[in-house]
Amino acid sequence: MPYRSLLLPRPKTAGRRREQRTAARAGVLLASVAAVLSGSALGAGPADAAAVPPAKAGTPAASPTAAQPQHEARVTAAVFDLDGSDRQPTVRGEDTPYDTASIVKVDILAAVLLQAQDAGRDLTAQERTRAEAMIERSDNASANALWRQIGQAPGLKKANERLGLTSTNGGPGPKWGLTQTTASDQIRLLRAVFGTGPAATTGSTALNETSRAYVRTLMTRIASDQSWGVSAAADSGWALKNGWLQRSTTDLWDVNSVGQVTAGGHRYLVAVLSDGNASMEDGKALVERTARAAVSSASSH
């Protein structure tokens, strides 16, 4: 009967063996593709490696996550002793450009103040409200408005030429947080705000004392949840502005902090810039650790 014959076991013919070998090869191919996609066979390429998070505690050594190379954060610090004899900052790390994130808000405020000085006027009530929110609470809406007011990147460039900055380039269009700067350039900006004596100004093009005092005051009134960063190196007073930004292309964090700290009876200007941090908390810890080490080294000279 034809239907009965379908239920009987058939002998393994040569054709049947070929089918089994084909299926086995297909299984091996699928397993290889899966391994490559998981990164366990060939490893992630340079672009992918930056996006792989560090292995969590307890991750088995043989797991794909543990097998990936961990991305190392980059950090640079610059320190200038306002009460010392050396007229150049000490730089630790490569003095190359970093994204500013919100530390550029100090630069934006300096540009606003220069424009007001040029017009022979004080800041308006609205400008003061925005400036205070931008520095004290790192309010982005206020930064957006003042960034437009100064003329975005071209306006920032004009201000920085007068303030002595040489390695800071404003972000594209409305993206002030993608302004690029170096640690040594941030020290130049801080000197324009906190410096004392003839070297602190460059004649009529610089911030006047009223403007400088205003910036200094706002930087001492940072909201309590943002009072981390270079302040970790202080044993008494401090003034600062922090910045943080998670990059969408890598999910890694830029974390920066700039300001003045008092330690061992000396006033230090400190700029710590970092990127490639796995998390904001990692970045904060790196910035604070670096600031303490940089100020401690400067104070020992």
Side-chain angles (χ1 to χ4, degrees):
M1 298 285 294
Y3 293 106
R4 183 176 178 81
S5 67
L6 292 174
L7 300 175
L8 295 175
R10 295 191 299 172
K12 293 185 177 180
T13 62
R16 178 67 171 171
R17 286 194 294 273
R18 283 196 297 273
E19 292 174 359
Q20 289 177 329
R21 287 196 296 270
T22 300
R25 286 196 295 270
V28 171
L29 178 60
L30 289 173
S32 299
V33 170
V36 171
L37 291 176
S38 70
S40 60
L42 301 178
D48 297 328
V52 176
K56 295 180 180 179
T59 301
S63 72
T65 300
Q68 301 299 329
Q70 293 188 10
H71 183 90
E72 290 188 7
R74 186 173 66 121
V75 64
T76 301
V79 178
F80 180 76
D81 185 352
L82 280 172
D83 301 312
S85 57
D86 193 348
R87 294 295 89 195
Q88 296 298 322
T90 299
V91 178
R92 297 164 61 96
E94 294 295 323
D95 197 25
T96 54
Y98 289 79
D99 298 327
T100 57
S102 285
I103 62 169
V104 75
K105 291 171 179 175
V106 177
D107 206 1
I108 294 173
L109 178 54
V112 170
L113 289 164
L114 283 174
Q115 289 183 349
Q117 287 179 197
D118 292 346
R121 64 173 180 84
D122 296 329
L123 295 187
T124 66
Q126 183 180 64
E127 287 170 338
R128 285 184 176 276
T129 296
R130 287 172 172 168
E132 290 162 17
M134 179 176 70
I135 301 298
E136 296 174 16
R137 302 194 305 277
S138 205
D139 181 69
N140 289 338
S142 297
N144 291 340
L146 295 177
W147 177 249
R148 290 191 298 270
Q149 179 176 320
I150 67 170
Q152 299 184 339
L156 191 75
K157 180 180 180 180
K158 289 179 181 178
N160 285 343
E161 288 172 351
R162 297 166 62 178
L163 296 168
L165 279 67
T166 60
S167 304
T168 298
N169 296 299
K175 298 179 180 179
W176 44 260
L178 295 184
T179 296
Q180 292 268 296
T181 194
T182 61
S184 59
D185 233 22
Q186 287 301 297
I187 294 295
R188 294 183 183 100
L189 176 59
L190 292 171
R191 290 183 71 178
V193 174
F194 292 93
T196 57
T201 65
T202 54
S204 60
T205 66
L207 292 169
N208 62 34
E209 182 52 37
T210 300
S211 295
R212 286 148 47 82
Y214 182 61
V215 180
R216 292 195 297 263
T217 298
L218 297 189
M219 292 177 69
T220 63
R221 290 170 19 188
I222 299 301
S224 59
D225 63 336
Q226 296 181 23
S227 58
W228 47 269
V230 297
S231 55
D235 59 24
S236 53
W238 54 262
L240 62 77
K241 182 70 192 79
N242 297 323
W244 57 97
L245 172 68
Q246 186 177 28
R247 297 309 308 268
S248 60
T249 53
T250 63
D251 289 333
L252 300 175
W253 288 79
D254 301 330
V255 182
N256 307 318
S257 185
V258 299
Q260 178 191 277
V261 303
T262 301
H266 278 231
R267 296 168 301 143
Y268 296 95
L269 303 180
V270 188
V272 182
L273 310 180
S274 76
D275 60 20
N277 296 286
S279 68
M280 181 173 172
E281 290 304 315
D282 285 352
K284 287 167 64 174
L286 175 62
V287 165
E288 292 188 339
R289 185 167 64 247
T290 302
R292 284 192 293 264
V295 171
S296 176
S297 177
S299 64
S300 65
H301 288 90

